[in-house]
Amino acid sequence: GKPYPHTAPLWTGAQATRETPGRAARCATMPAGVTWRAALAETRAQLAALAQEMRRHGDDGRSMASPNVFNRRAIGRVAPTMRAPEFAMDVKVSVIYCVAFFVLNWFVRACVVEPLARRLMGFKKGESRGGRAKVQKFAQSALEMVFYGTFTIIGALLVPQQPWFWPSTEWWRGTPTKTLATSAALRCYYLAYGARYVAAMANVLMEHKRKDFWEMQLHHVATILVIVSSYTTGWTRVGAVIMLVLDPADVPLHAAKCAKYVGDARGNKQYQLAADVLFGIFMLTFFVMRLVMYPYVVWSAGFEARKFFTPNAAYYFCVALLCVLLFLQVYWFGLIVKVAHRVVVAGAAEDVRSDDDESDDDHDDADAKKTK
C-alpha cells in the first residue's frame, strides 16, 4: 500500500486547493534518472489498478473513483496514490505501452488473424496479389475492431463512474490545481490510449494504403497532441470524455468491413447483408457520438471552460486541436453519406477508403498475365 518513491504528492481535497499554478507546474516534473525497472513497476501498478476498477464495477456496480468509495486506502492496495504528471516516468510508461501494442498487433495478425482470414475467405497461402491484399485489409480491420472495442469497454466502465463525469462544468472546476492529479486506473487508460495512436501511426506506414492516408495521419497526430497537452495541463477529465465519445463508432465500422471482405471473397450475400446492417449501425452511432456529443464537448471547451480559468496559449492550442478533430469528423461523415447513397442505389456498401493505387482485381489480372 506504500506509494512508489518516484510518485508526486497526493493532490486531493484541501491540499489541492492550497496549491498554486506555479506549484502545479513544478509537480508535473520528475527527478532525472528514472529507471526502466521503475517504469515497468509503475506500468504493472497501473494495470493492476485498472483491473481492480473493472472488477469492482462488475461486483457491486460501483467504482473506486465514486465519491462513496474513493479513498487513499482503497487505491493503495494496488497502486500508488493519485499524482500529478511526472514527465520522465510517464514518457517511459508510454513507450512500454506503445511497444506492447505494436508487437501485439503484428504478432496476433501473423499468428491468428491472417490465417483466420484465409480460412473465412477460402484462400490458401500463395494466393494472388489481390487475395493477399484482401487478407491484409481484413486483418487490419479485425484488429482495429478489437482495439477500439477494448478501449470502448474500458472507457464505458471507467469514465462514467468518475465524480466529475457530469455535468460538464465539473470537467473544468478547479482547473488546473485540482485536475492535474489522476488515479492510477485513469492514468493507465489515458497513457495507453495515447500510446495506441503512436503505434497506429507506425502501423499505417506498414499496412495497405488507403485514399485517406494523410487524413488518418493528421487525425492520429492531432489526437496524440490533444492527449499530451490535456494530460500535462490538467484537462484529463474532458480528455477522458472525448476518448469515451470517439471510440464506439469504429467498432461496427470495422465489423462491417470484415463482413464485406468475406462476402466479396465468397460471393455470399448473407455476409453482404450483415455488412450493410453493421454499416447502418455505424452511421447512426457516428452521427450521435461524433456530430452531436463531440461538438458539445468542443463547445464546452471553447466557452464553458472560460468561466473557471483565464485562457492562455496552451488553452487556445488545445481548443484548436479539438476543432481539427471536429473538422475531420465532418469530412468523414461526408464519405459515409456517399457510401449510404451507394447502398441505396447499388444495394451494397463499398469501402470509400479503398486502395490509393490499383484495385485488387487489377492485381489479379496482372498476376494471371504473368503466369501465362
Side-chain angles (χ1 to χ4, degrees):
K2 295 181 180 180
Y4 289 119
H6 296 294
T7 54
L10 180 67
W11 281 56
T12 55
Q15 180 182 355
T17 62
R18 293 196 298 268
E19 301 293 349
T20 64
R23 175 97 178 256
R26 289 193 297 272
C27 285
T29 61
M30 185 176 184
V34 176
T35 64
W36 284 104
R37 183 175 181 180
L40 286 169
E42 167 71 3
T43 304
R44 288 195 299 269
Q46 290 181 13
L47 293 171
L50 182 63
Q52 179 153 327
E53 186 86 1
M54 301 298 102
R55 285 197 300 269
R56 287 183 63 87
H57 180 83
D59 292 342
D60 58 15
R62 297 183 301 169
S63 163
M64 282 189 348
S66 64
N68 294 330
V69 295
F70 184 59
N71 54 69
R72 295 177 66 176
R73 184 176 180 183
I75 296 177
R77 287 197 297 266
V78 294
T81 56
M82 290 183 67
R83 65 166 174 82
E86 297 174 350
F87 180 77
M89 176 67 81
D90 292 334
V91 167
K92 289 192 174 183
V93 170
S94 297
V95 170
I96 292 171
Y97 285 137
C98 183
V99 172
F101 283 132
F102 184 83
V103 173
L104 181 65
N105 176 78
W106 290 101
F107 177 79
V108 173
R109 175 176 299 200
C111 297
V112 179
V113 182
E114 289 189 358
L116 175 63
R118 291 188 180 92
R119 185 179 182 86
L120 289 174
M121 295 181 181
F123 295 148
K124 296 181 180 180
K125 279 200 170 184
E127 67 267 10
S128 66
R129 186 178 176 185
R132 287 196 300 272
K134 291 176 182 177
V135 168
Q136 291 169 4
K137 290 196 288 186
F138 178 95
Q140 177 183 354
S141 291
L143 285 168
E144 288 291 309
M145 178 180 64
V146 170
F147 278 113
Y148 279 110
T150 300
F151 275 88
T152 295
I153 293 171
I154 294 173
L157 292 176
L158 181 66
V159 178
Q161 306 303 318
Q162 305 300 316
W164 42 257
F165 178 67
W166 194 258
S168 56
T169 53
E170 295 301 316
W171 303 343
W172 315 106
R173 196 178 304 279
T175 304
T177 55
K178 291 185 180 179
T179 58
L180 266 175
T182 55
S183 66
L186 187 63
R187 193 160 60 250
C188 176
Y189 176 59
Y190 221 85
L191 296 180
Y193 195 99
R196 185 192 78 179
Y197 275 97
V198 174
M201 287 189 66
N203 291 334
V204 166
L205 298 175
M206 304 170 64
E207 291 171 338
H208 221 69
K209 192 173 183 180
R210 308 284 190 172
K211 285 183 178 179
D212 66 345
F213 171 82
W214 291 111
E215 290 86 346
M216 285 300 298
Q217 290 293 66
L218 175 61
H219 172 268
H220 292 346
V221 170
T223 300
I224 293 166
L225 290 176
V226 166
I227 292 170
V228 172
S229 58
S230 62
Y231 183 73
T232 56
T233 57
W235 279 33
T236 50
R237 296 178 179 181
V238 69
V241 172
I242 292 172
M243 296 174 190
L244 178 63
V245 168
L246 293 185
D247 271 353
D250 283 292
V251 179
L253 168 64
H254 291 290
K257 287 184 177 183
C258 289
K260 176 172 173 50
Y261 296 148
V262 175
D264 287 347
R266 288 186 170 274
N268 191 319
K269 293 184 177 180
Q270 291 182 340
Y271 282 102
Q272 184 61 60
L273 176 61
D276 293 342
V277 172
L278 287 166
F279 180 79
I281 296 172
F282 156 70
M283 187 173 183
L284 178 61
T285 306
F286 189 103
F287 179 80
V288 172
M289 304 293 280
R290 299 193 179 192
L291 295 182
V292 176
M293 294 184 179
Y294 179 65
Y296 175 82
V297 177
V298 177
W299 170 84
S300 179
F303 297 96
E304 195 173 38
R306 299 187 186 190
K307 300 176 183 178
F308 298 93
F309 58 88
T310 302
N312 54 22
Y315 164 81
Y316 289 112
F317 178 70
C318 288
V319 171
L321 290 173
L322 296 182
C323 291
V324 169
L325 291 177
L326 179 58
F327 170 78
L328 288 171
Q329 308 314 315
V330 175
Y331 167 77
W332 278 319
F333 192 72
L335 298 182
I336 293 168
V337 171
K338 289 183 181 179
V339 176
H341 180 262
R342 291 181 186 177
V343 172
V344 174
V345 175
E350 295 293 335
D351 184 3
V352 294
R353 295 178 58 219
S354 56
D355 304 327
D356 195 29
D357 43 17
E358 301 175 58
S359 67
D360 295 337
D361 293 335
D362 292 338
H363 291 322
D364 288 337
D365 293 341
D367 289 341
K369 291 178 182 178
K370 288 179 182 177
T371 302
K372 291 180 181 180

